[in-house]
Amino acid sequence: MEIHLIDSAGKDFYFPVNPEEITITRGKALETINIVALGEYDFPIGERVKEIAFSSFFPAAYDPGYCNYENLPDPQVAMNQITSMMNSKRPVRLIISDTAVNVLVMLSAHNSTFKGGEPGDVYFEITARTWQEMKVHNSAAAQAKNSASNRSDTKQAAKTYTVKSGDTLSKIAKLELGSSSKWQAIYKANAKTIGKDPNKIKPGQKLVLP
Protein backbone atom coordinates (compact mmCIF):
# COMPACT_ATOMS: atom_id res chain seq x y z
CA MET A 1 0.00 0.00 0.00
CA GLU A 2 1.14 3.55 -0.82
CA ILE A 3 -0.40 6.78 0.47
CA HIS A 4 0.14 9.97 -1.54
CA LEU A 5 -0.98 13.58 -1.20
CA ILE A 6 -0.65 15.58 -4.44
CA ASP A 7 -1.13 19.35 -4.23
CA SER A 8 -2.47 21.69 -6.92
CA ALA A 9 1.06 22.28 -8.24
CA GLY A 10 1.54 18.54 -8.80
CA LYS A 11 3.96 18.07 -5.89
CA ASP A 12 3.70 14.50 -4.59
CA PHE A 13 4.07 13.79 -0.88
CA TYR A 14 4.61 10.06 -0.30
CA PHE A 15 4.13 8.92 3.30
CA PRO A 16 7.20 6.94 4.41
CA VAL A 17 5.43 4.59 6.85
CA ASN A 18 2.02 3.01 6.29
CA PRO A 19 -0.59 3.35 9.04
CA GLU A 20 -1.90 0.27 10.81
CA GLU A 21 -5.43 1.19 9.74
CA ILE A 22 -7.38 3.74 7.73
CA THR A 23 -10.87 4.80 8.78
CA ILE A 24 -13.46 6.09 6.31
CA THR A 25 -16.55 7.62 7.89
CA ARG A 26 -19.72 7.92 5.82
CA GLY A 27 -23.07 9.33 6.86
CA LYS A 28 -26.39 10.62 5.63
CA ALA A 29 -27.43 14.21 6.26
CA LEU A 30 -30.78 14.39 8.07
CA GLU A 31 -33.05 17.29 8.95
CA THR A 32 -35.05 16.75 12.12
CA ILE A 33 -38.47 18.38 12.31
CA ASN A 34 -40.61 18.44 15.43
CA ILE A 35 -44.28 18.06 14.54
CA VAL A 36 -46.67 19.10 17.27
CA ALA A 37 -48.46 16.12 18.87
CA LEU A 38 -46.55 13.66 16.66
CA GLY A 39 -42.94 14.06 17.81
CA GLU A 40 -39.65 14.25 15.90
CA TYR A 41 -39.21 13.05 12.32
CA ASP A 42 -35.98 12.76 10.33
CA PHE A 43 -35.94 13.67 6.64
CA PRO A 44 -32.90 12.75 4.48
CA ILE A 45 -31.39 15.75 2.68
CA GLY A 46 -28.30 14.20 1.05
CA GLU A 47 -24.96 12.55 1.70
CA ARG A 48 -22.55 13.96 4.25
CA VAL A 49 -18.92 14.68 3.42
CA LYS A 50 -16.77 11.55 3.87
CA GLU A 51 -13.97 11.68 6.41
CA ILE A 52 -10.77 9.68 5.90
CA ALA A 53 -8.51 9.38 8.94
CA PHE A 54 -5.23 7.58 9.66
CA SER A 55 -2.19 7.88 11.91
CA SER A 56 1.47 6.96 11.51
CA PHE A 57 4.86 8.60 12.07
CA PHE A 58 7.75 10.25 10.28
CA PRO A 59 10.91 8.31 11.22
CA ALA A 60 14.21 10.08 11.73
CA ALA A 61 16.18 7.08 10.40
CA TYR A 62 15.50 4.53 7.68
CA ASP A 63 14.42 1.05 8.78
CA PRO A 64 13.78 -1.53 6.03
CA GLY A 65 11.31 -3.28 8.32
CA TYR A 66 8.62 -0.58 7.94
CA CYS A 67 9.86 2.25 5.73
CA ASN A 68 8.55 2.46 2.16
CA TYR A 69 11.71 4.08 0.78
CA GLU A 70 15.24 5.04 1.86
CA ASN A 71 15.50 8.74 1.06
CA LEU A 72 13.31 9.85 3.96
CA PRO A 73 12.22 13.47 4.45
CA ASP A 74 13.25 15.23 7.63
CA PRO A 75 10.37 14.61 10.09
CA GLN A 76 10.06 18.32 10.94
CA VAL A 77 10.05 19.31 7.26
CA ALA A 78 7.49 16.60 6.47
CA MET A 79 5.26 17.78 9.30
CA ASN A 80 5.46 21.37 8.03
CA GLN A 81 4.59 20.25 4.49
CA ILE A 82 1.43 18.56 5.75
CA THR A 83 0.54 21.63 7.81
CA SER A 84 1.03 23.83 4.74
CA MET A 85 -1.33 21.62 2.73
CA MET A 86 -3.89 21.80 5.53
CA ASN A 87 -3.72 25.60 5.69
CA SER A 88 -4.02 25.97 1.93
CA LYS A 89 -7.40 26.99 0.55
CA ARG A 90 -7.02 24.57 -2.35
CA PRO A 91 -7.84 20.85 -2.18
CA VAL A 92 -5.23 18.11 -2.53
CA ARG A 93 -5.60 14.70 -4.07
CA LEU A 94 -5.42 11.74 -1.70
CA ILE A 95 -4.45 8.44 -3.31
CA ILE A 96 -4.28 5.18 -1.38
CA SER A 97 -3.12 2.32 -3.57
CA ASP A 98 -4.85 -1.07 -3.35
CA THR A 99 -8.06 0.77 -2.38
CA ALA A 100 -10.69 2.80 -4.23
CA VAL A 101 -9.52 6.04 -2.58
CA ASN A 102 -8.47 8.54 -5.24
CA VAL A 103 -10.28 11.75 -4.32
CA LEU A 104 -9.86 15.46 -3.79
CA VAL A 105 -9.82 16.33 -0.11
CA MET A 106 -9.33 19.19 2.29
CA LEU A 107 -7.09 18.35 5.25
CA SER A 108 -9.19 19.31 8.27
CA ALA A 109 -6.89 18.17 11.08
CA HIS A 110 -3.20 17.36 11.56
CA ASN A 111 -2.06 16.49 15.07
CA SER A 112 1.60 15.80 15.96
CA THR A 113 3.06 13.93 18.92
CA PHE A 114 6.67 13.78 20.14
CA LYS A 115 7.75 10.81 22.28
CA GLY A 116 10.64 11.08 24.72
CA GLY A 117 11.96 7.58 24.06
CA GLU A 118 12.10 8.07 20.27
CA PRO A 119 14.03 11.31 19.63
CA GLY A 120 13.67 12.71 16.13
CA ASP A 121 10.54 10.75 15.23
CA VAL A 122 7.27 12.64 14.83
CA TYR A 123 3.97 10.84 15.22
CA PHE A 124 0.89 12.29 13.55
CA GLU A 125 -2.84 11.91 13.02
CA ILE A 126 -4.50 13.21 9.83
CA THR A 127 -8.18 13.74 9.02
CA ALA A 128 -9.25 14.55 5.46
CA ARG A 129 -12.70 15.48 4.20
CA THR A 130 -13.75 14.78 0.63
CA TRP A 131 -14.17 17.95 -1.46
CA GLN A 132 -16.23 18.85 -4.49
CA GLU A 133 -16.58 22.15 -6.31
CA MET A 134 -19.74 24.13 -5.67
CA LYS A 135 -21.45 25.11 -8.93
CA VAL A 136 -23.91 27.96 -8.69
CA HIS A 137 -23.45 29.80 -12.00
CA ASN A 138 -26.47 28.18 -13.67
CA SER A 139 -28.82 29.30 -10.91
CA ALA A 140 -27.34 32.79 -10.92
CA ALA A 141 -27.79 33.03 -14.69
CA ALA A 142 -31.38 31.89 -14.42
CA GLN A 143 -32.03 34.42 -11.66
CA ALA A 144 -30.53 37.21 -13.77
CA LYS A 145 -32.67 36.15 -16.74
CA ASN A 146 -35.81 36.15 -14.61
CA SER A 147 -34.90 39.53 -13.17
CA ALA A 148 -34.44 40.94 -16.67
CA SER A 149 -37.80 39.48 -17.73
CA ASN A 150 -39.50 41.04 -14.73
CA ARG A 151 -38.03 44.43 -15.53
CA SER A 152 -39.19 44.26 -19.15
CA ASP A 153 -42.69 43.30 -18.05
CA THR A 154 -43.00 46.42 -15.89
CA LYS A 155 -42.07 48.79 -18.73
CA GLN A 156 -45.13 50.69 -19.89
CA ALA A 157 -46.07 50.47 -23.57
CA ALA A 158 -46.05 53.75 -25.51
CA LYS A 159 -49.46 55.40 -25.83
CA THR A 160 -50.74 55.88 -29.39
CA TYR A 161 -53.52 57.87 -31.08
CA THR A 162 -55.30 56.98 -34.34
CA VAL A 163 -55.96 60.04 -36.52
CA LYS A 164 -59.59 60.75 -37.33
CA SER A 165 -61.13 62.89 -40.07
CA GLY A 166 -60.87 66.59 -39.18
CA ASP A 167 -58.01 66.10 -36.70
CA THR A 168 -55.04 68.43 -36.49
CA LEU A 169 -51.91 68.07 -34.39
CA SER A 170 -53.03 71.02 -32.25
CA LYS A 171 -56.41 69.40 -31.66
CA ILE A 172 -54.82 66.09 -30.76
CA ALA A 173 -52.35 67.82 -28.43
CA LYS A 174 -55.19 69.66 -26.68
CA LEU A 175 -57.28 66.50 -26.37
CA GLU A 176 -54.56 64.04 -25.30
CA LEU A 177 -51.86 66.18 -23.70
CA GLY A 178 -53.94 69.04 -22.29
CA SER A 179 -52.34 71.81 -24.34
CA SER A 180 -52.52 72.59 -28.05
CA SER A 181 -49.01 74.05 -27.87
CA LYS A 182 -47.60 70.53 -27.48
CA TRP A 183 -48.36 69.67 -31.11
CA GLN A 184 -44.67 70.14 -31.96
CA ALA A 185 -43.73 67.34 -29.53
CA ILE A 186 -46.22 65.04 -31.29
CA TYR A 187 -44.81 65.99 -34.69
CA LYS A 188 -41.23 65.44 -33.54
CA ALA A 189 -42.09 61.93 -32.34
CA ASN A 190 -43.91 61.06 -35.59
CA ALA A 191 -42.06 63.02 -38.28
CA LYS A 192 -41.37 59.90 -40.36
CA THR A 193 -45.03 58.91 -40.31
CA ILE A 194 -46.47 62.38 -41.00
CA GLY A 195 -43.90 63.65 -43.48
CA LYS A 196 -42.43 67.11 -44.00
CA ASP A 197 -45.72 69.00 -43.55
CA PRO A 198 -47.16 68.74 -40.02
CA ASN A 199 -50.52 69.95 -41.31
CA LYS A 200 -50.98 66.95 -43.60
CA ILE A 201 -51.94 64.16 -41.22
CA LYS A 202 -54.22 61.46 -42.61
CA PRO A 203 -57.09 59.54 -41.01
CA GLY A 204 -55.96 56.09 -39.89
CA GLN A 205 -52.38 57.10 -39.10
CA LYS A 206 -51.18 55.87 -35.68
CA LEU A 207 -49.22 58.52 -33.83
CA VAL A 208 -47.03 57.91 -30.81
CA LEU A 209 -47.82 60.34 -28.01
CA PRO A 210 -44.82 61.75 -26.06
Side-chain angles (χ1 to χ4, degrees):
M1 176 186 291
E2 294 183 1
I3 303 177
H4 296 259
L5 284 176
I6 303 175
D7 64 16
S8 58
K11 188 174 181 180
D12 186 352
F13 184 92
Y14 178 15
F15 286 89
V17 180
N18 289 339
E20 293 184 3
E21 60 183 16
I22 299 172
T23 302
I24 301 177
T25 304
R26 303 174 180 87
K28 180 183 289 293
L30 299 172
E31 181 177 1
T32 301
I33 297 178
N34 193 340
I35 302 176
V36 177
L38 294 178
E40 291 186 345
Y41 287 83
D42 286 336
F43 294 90
I45 57 175
E47 183 182 7
R48 288 186 182 276
V49 172
K50 297 183 183 71
E51 286 193 345
I52 303 170
F54 58 91
S55 59
S56 185
F57 72 101
F58 298 124
Y62 172 73
D63 187 323
Y66 50 77
C67 291
N68 292 324
Y69 50 87
E70 293 187 23
N71 189 20
L72 298 175
D74 179 86
Q76 295 287 342
V77 173
M79 183 178 63
N80 291 337
Q81 285 179 301
I82 299 298
T83 301
S84 177
M85 289 183 181
M86 181 183 68
N87 292 333
S88 171
K89 295 183 179 180
R90 300 181 65 86
V92 296
R93 182 165 294 279
L94 172 61
I95 300 176
I96 303 176
S97 65
D98 302 324
T99 73
V101 176
N102 185 343
V103 292
L104 289 173
V105 299
M106 297 293 287
L107 301 182
S108 61
H110 172 218
N111 302 319
S112 301
T113 302
F114 301 89
K115 298 184 179 182
E118 302 176 37
D121 293 349
V122 178
Y123 286 77
F124 66 86
E125 298 174 352
I126 287 179
T127 301
R129 292 167 58 88
T130 53
W131 178 92
Q132 59 181 349
E133 184 177 4
M134 182 182 294
K135 297 181 179 180
V136 296
H137 60 277
N138 290 335
S139 297
Q143 185 177 359
K145 184 177 179 181
N146 292 336
S147 178
S149 299
N150 292 336
R151 286 196 297 271
S152 62
D153 290 343
T154 58
K155 185 178 180 181
Q156 295 182 351
K159 187 177 179 181
T160 61
Y161 178 86
T162 302
V163 178
K164 302 178 181 64
S165 179
D167 279 344
T168 63
L169 291 183
S170 297
K171 181 179 177 180
I172 296 170
K174 176 66 175 176
L175 183 65
E176 297 293 332
L177 304 180
S179 174
S180 59
S181 64
K182 295 182 179 179
W183 71 267
Q184 291 180 334
I186 298 177
Y187 177 67
K188 185 177 180 181
N190 298 276
K192 290 185 179 180
T193 302
I194 296 172
K196 294 182 179 180
D197 191 345
N199 295 315
K200 292 184 178 180
I201 59 175
K202 300 176 183 179
Q205 286 179 325
K206 286 190 175 182
L207 305 180
V208 177
L209 299 178

